[in-house]
Every structure is written in structure tokens, then in C-alpha cells.
Amino acid sequence: GDMAYTIVRPGALASKGGLVDDAALADRGLGVRLGAEDTLFELRPRLAVPRAAVAALCVEALGDARSRGRLVEMVGEEGMLPLEQVGNPW
């Protein structure tokens, strides 16, 4: 049969010493934006995405059958919500 897959395509990843979790993002008024394939990487300005937020989205995809066959782009952005408040991208 066909292999199930989900592609999470993050923008630049934040360094370890920077914004590393949703709490740190929220404290600075920063969050993430999720979008469909080829919709976010032309936006300016965009910020680095914490590695923890990318990992959390990947884990969420594993447990949600609606994520199969989907591609989600993820970038950091001022004024957006932390990942836990963004809602399900599938």
C-alpha cells in the first residue's frame, strides 16, 4: 500500500540560546504561523522557529490521521500565537 507521510517544513530554526519554547515566545509577543505548501516562505519579515515548537508539531502529526498526506510550513512571526494556541493545521 501507500506509505503514510506528513511533511513539516520549518523556516530557520532558533538557536539553543534563543527562543526555545512557547512560554519564551509568548513572553516576547512572538509566535508561529502555519500554512499550506508554498504559502509562507515569501513572507517578510519572518523569524526563526524554536526547535521545540517544530518537534511538538511533528508529535501532534503522529497522533492525528488527518495529517496524512499533508505538508505544513511553519515560520516564526511577531504578533502570532504560540503553537499550543494556534489550533490544528490539518
Side-chain angles (χ1 to χ4, degrees), residues 24-83:
L25 284 171
D27 287 346
R28 292 173 174 83
L30 304 174
V32 298
R33 178 185 291 257
L34 302 176
E37 183 175 0
D38 296 329
T39 59
L40 297 182
F41 291 123
E42 297 303 319
L43 293 176
R44 300 283 190 266
R46 62 181 188 267
L47 303 170
V49 178
R51 287 167 167 51
V54 176
L57 184 61
C58 291
V59 169
E60 184 178 319
L62 289 171
D64 193 329
R66 296 175 294 175
S67 70
R68 292 182 185 151
R70 302 287 305 271
L71 185 150
V72 175
E73 293 183 346
M74 182 180 203
V75 296
E77 190 169 274
E78 288 188 31
M80 298 303 292
L81 295 171
L83 178 62

